[in-house]
Amino acid sequence: MKRDLTSIFDLDVSEIYKIFELTKEMKEKLKKRIEHKLLSDRTLAMIFEKPSLRTRVTFETGMEQLGGHAIYLAPSDIKLGKRESIPDVAKNLSRWVDLIMARVFEHQSIKLLAQHATVPVINGLCDLEHPCQILGDIFTITEKAGGLDNITIAYIGDGNNVCNSLIAASALLKFRLNIATPEGFEPNQDYLNKASQAQLTHNPAAAVADADFIYTDVWASMGQEAEAEKRKIIFRPFQVNAQLLSNAKKDYRIMHCLPAHRGEEISGEVIDGPASIVFDQAENRLHIQKGIMVWLMLDK
Ligand code: CP
Ligand code: NVA
């Protein structure tokens, strides 16, 4: 039976570690320039309802490195659900390509694609989750910390798609997760209910106090641009800056999924400082997605 990656919850713990194993192999082989065209003659369709730098470039480059081919479908190409219904898009693409990745507004669009496609569907970000991002980020943490034992991650800011995927990862992989959001901007409650290691507070200083990794993301996600000015005022006490970090342990690392807005959710000195691992995260998007694609197509 085909598998999809619509949510981190689509995976179990052993499958996540299997993907990490494949990712490590992909990364080592690329560094040594050892070719391994595991997906030769396979085609990936990439549907985008929103802009992207990392997701587009890493999926396209990753597919190329695996010997396959990727087709970029811009927001104006398909007009998902408007020019053609989502089930019809899924059924058409399934006749031509081997894999679909989609970045959409609503999680329901990913679910519909997955339901009607006969090929695997990967969530490249929706309103509920950003699973490829968080799998890459947890892989990055395992590289830096040697594993997840006794690791605490603090997430500061908006309880958004990235935060929800982090909670799902905590539910499965059992790392401690301290989340600090303004009131009214909490993450998905069903996700929190599943993650006994995740703690929610509205106090960012308390959340960073025992954290090994401190993660933030934009205050207004794609599609929330109209709220950006209002959010800048509400979220101001949640900026990850030197003052907030004076409450943290010494050897923390700073994480951000990017794109970042310096001077909003994070200060320039922090994101560009020595504790920042944001470009390691960005690099690992390439390796993790190769791991995910190989797992979905060949290994599961
Ligand atoms: N982090 C991330 O998904 O970046 P893009 O929006 O540029 O793809
Ligand atoms: N939360 C952000 C993540 C961008 C990669 C957004 O949805 O815009």
Side-chain angles (χ1 to χ4, degrees):
M1 203 185 78
K2 70 127 179 173
R3 292 285 298 275
D4 304 296
L5 179 59
T6 65
S7 157
I8 299 260
F9 284 124
D10 287 352
L11 302 171
D12 66 27
V13 178
S14 65
E15 289 169 340
I16 294 176
Y17 280 109
K18 178 68 200 173
I19 290 170
F20 285 177
E21 207 179 288
L22 286 165
T23 301
K24 190 162 177 274
E25 189 188 325
M26 303 287 139
K27 187 167 179 174
E28 283 168 5
K29 289 213 165 115
L30 183 66
K31 300 277 173 198
K32 292 184 187 149
R33 290 280 158 197
I34 300 171
E35 281 203 358
H36 53 123
K37 305 282 188 196
L38 292 173
L39 299 184
S40 62
D41 302 324
R42 307 290 178 107
T43 300
L44 165 73
M46 307 189 295
I47 300 172
F48 283 91
E49 287 193 310
K50 299 176 182 177
S52 168
L53 173 68
R54 279 147 293 274
T55 304
R56 182 199 170 164
V57 175
T58 51
F59 267 106
E60 195 164 330
T61 306
M63 200 57 184
E64 173 117 13
Q65 289 172 357
L66 289 165
H69 174 63
I71 303 171
Y72 172 67
L73 297 160
S76 57
D77 287 337
I78 295 191
K79 297 199 175 74
L80 203 63
K82 296 184 191 78
R83 182 170 183 267
E84 193 158 4
S85 75
I86 293 177
D88 279 5
V89 169
K91 288 174 193 170
N92 274 277
L93 287 174
S94 298
R95 298 290 178 115
W96 309 314
V97 306
D98 304 283
L99 200 53
I100 299 169
M101 186 280 296
R103 165 167 289 194
V104 296
F105 283 98
E106 291 170 18
H107 186 62
Q108 182 56 18
S109 303
I110 286 285
K111 299 298 288 178
L112 264 181
L113 278 172
Q115 191 186 329
H116 292 277
T118 55
V119 299
V121 172
I122 301 172
N123 181 351
L125 180 147
C126 65
D127 56 351
L128 183 67
E129 276 211 41
H130 197 357
C132 299
Q133 178 71 50
I134 290 305
L135 288 173
D137 294 338
I138 303 301
F139 178 78
T140 306
I141 289 173
T142 64
E143 285 184 320
K144 302 288 175 194
L148 294 174
D149 288 348
N150 299 316
I151 290 298
T152 299
I153 304 175
Y155 177 91
I156 311 298
D158 188 22
N160 61 15
N161 43 13
V162 168
C163 183
N164 288 334
S165 286
L166 206 43
I167 296 168
S170 160
L172 291 165
L173 299 172
K174 305 291 175 206
F175 55 82
R176 282 187 304 278
L177 177 61
N178 303 335
I179 302 159
T181 72
E183 279 180 54
F185 296 89
E186 293 85 1
N188 184 289
Q189 189 60 48
D190 292 339
Y191 276 47
L192 278 176
N193 293 344
K194 290 184 191 154
S196 58
Q197 304 266 58
Q199 302 276 347
L200 177 65
T201 166
H202 299 300
N203 180 346
V208 299
D210 60 347
D212 305 291
F213 293 86
I214 298 170
Y215 199 127
T216 190
D217 184 16
V218 290
W219 291 338
S221 284
M222 290 180 276
Q224 297 174 329
E225 288 78 8
E227 292 178 34
E229 288 310 310
K230 186 187 85 180
R231 284 173 175 246
K232 273 184 202 170
I233 299 162
I234 298 169
F235 280 79
R236 189 71 189 82
F238 292 80
Q239 185 185 78
V240 175
N241 55 27
Q243 194 200 332
L244 178 67
L245 294 171
S246 66
N247 301 287
K249 299 194 306 192
K250 275 207 173 53
D251 53 352
Y252 59 78
R253 311 280 189 127
I254 295 295
M255 302 181 74
H256 193 307
C257 60
L258 305 178
H261 296 157
R262 288 170 177 76
E264 293 182 26
E265 74 276 1
I266 193 159
S267 67
E269 62 176 350
V270 168
I271 195 166
D272 299 316
S276 174
I277 57 169
V278 300
F279 297 110
D280 297 320
Q281 292 176 256
E283 180 191 330
N284 279 336
R285 289 291 303 281
L286 171 67
H287 309 302
I288 198 81
Q289 287 157 195
K290 287 166 76 179
I292 291 167
M293 290 192 288
V294 168
W295 180 76
L296 283 170
M297 305 273 356
L298 305 177
D299 228 303
K300 53 156 201 348

